[in-house]
Amino acid sequence: MTYVIVGLGNPGKEYEKTRHNAGRMLVERLRENIDANDFVFNKKANALVAEGVLGKEKVTLVLPETMMNLSGKAVLPFVKSVKAAQTLLVVHDDLDLPLGVTKMVVGRGSGGHKGVESIMRAIKTKDFARLRIGISATGKKNQAKKVSGEEKVIKHVIGKFKPAEDAILKKVMKKSAEAALLFISDGVEVATMFANTR
């Protein structure tokens, strides 16, 4: 059994360190946490792929080289059945959560996230784990400050993290990496409990 960890984002230099690439940043970082080879371009999947091990478990890290809303094409070669989806973890940014907050969910709708929608369509199930990384400013009662209007949303999402956010980002990346590793070593319930505790 192989665990497949997918980091969503847009490929290319101009999207590096943007909020929309939080999932991709996390999976790039994960390579250091597991005994994995370098990312290599996989033509069939149109993705950068690194193979590794954590304990006794095989792990495949996938960074789609497609644009975000076509991510499913890159995931399909690695997750060919509903059963295989049980060992899939998709890591992505989430506008509904403030920066610093992570949430792990299983079997939920896409919440309007185009990359997640694309994966659900491609693998024909929504029964897989997702690690959501908050990218919004914090508003009242520690809730995400809503960004409204398509133009503003796009600007926020493909904007780069500000230097003032670096410390929080560092913390959340560390926590997210731990949650992903727990998903592999201890299972989804333990990982969810860890990810969803503030």
Side-chain angles (χ1 to χ4, degrees), residues 115-143:
V116 175
E117 268 172 32
S118 168
I119 293 170
M120 287 175 175
R121 273 200 308 274
I123 66 172
K124 296 182 172 56
T125 181
K126 60 178 184 178
D127 290 327
F128 56 88
R130 286 166 31 218
L131 181 57
R132 301 160 54 199
I133 299 174
I135 58 160
S136 285
T138 307
K140 287 178 186 151
K141 294 182 184 167
N142 286 333
Q143 298 295 323

Side-chain angles (χ1 to χ4, degrees), residues 4 6 8-9 41-49 62-80 88 90 114-124 128:
V4 179
V6 180
L8 295 190
F41 183 69
N42 177 313
K43 199 174 172 187
K44 189 179 166 206
N46 193 5
L48 293 171
V49 179
V62 181
L63 302 173
E65 285 286 278
T66 59
M67 289 312 273
M68 179 70 93
N69 56 359
L70 298 172
S71 302
K73 288 183 176 175
V75 178
L76 191 57
F78 303 99
V79 183
K80 292 193 167 79
L88 167 67
V90 176
K114 300 280 184 262
V116 175
E117 268 172 32
S118 168
I119 293 170
M120 287 175 175
R121 273 200 308 274
I123 66 172
K124 296 182 172 56
F128 56 88

Side-chain angles (χ1 to χ4, degrees), residues 106-173:
V106 180
R108 295 259 192 91
S110 66
H113 195 290
K114 300 280 184 262
V116 175
E117 268 172 32
S118 168
I119 293 170
M120 287 175 175
R121 273 200 308 274
I123 66 172
K124 296 182 172 56
T125 181
K126 60 178 184 178
D127 290 327
F128 56 88
R130 286 166 31 218
L131 181 57
R132 301 160 54 199
I133 299 174
I135 58 160
S136 285
T138 307
K140 287 178 186 151
K141 294 182 184 167
N142 286 333
Q143 298 295 323
K145 215 178 203 172
K146 286 280 182 234
V147 185
S148 51
E150 197 174 343
E151 238 171 80
K152 279 185 182 166
V153 167
I154 291 169
K155 198 177 164 194
H156 180 78
V157 161
I158 61 171
K160 293 195 187 291
F161 285 105
K162 297 185 177 91
E165 297 172 322
D166 275 353
I168 305 174
L169 185 63
K170 223 180 199 159
K171 246 188 196 159
V172 86
M173 284 291 158

Side-chain angles (χ1 to χ4, degrees), residues 7 32 149 167:
E32 301 155 21

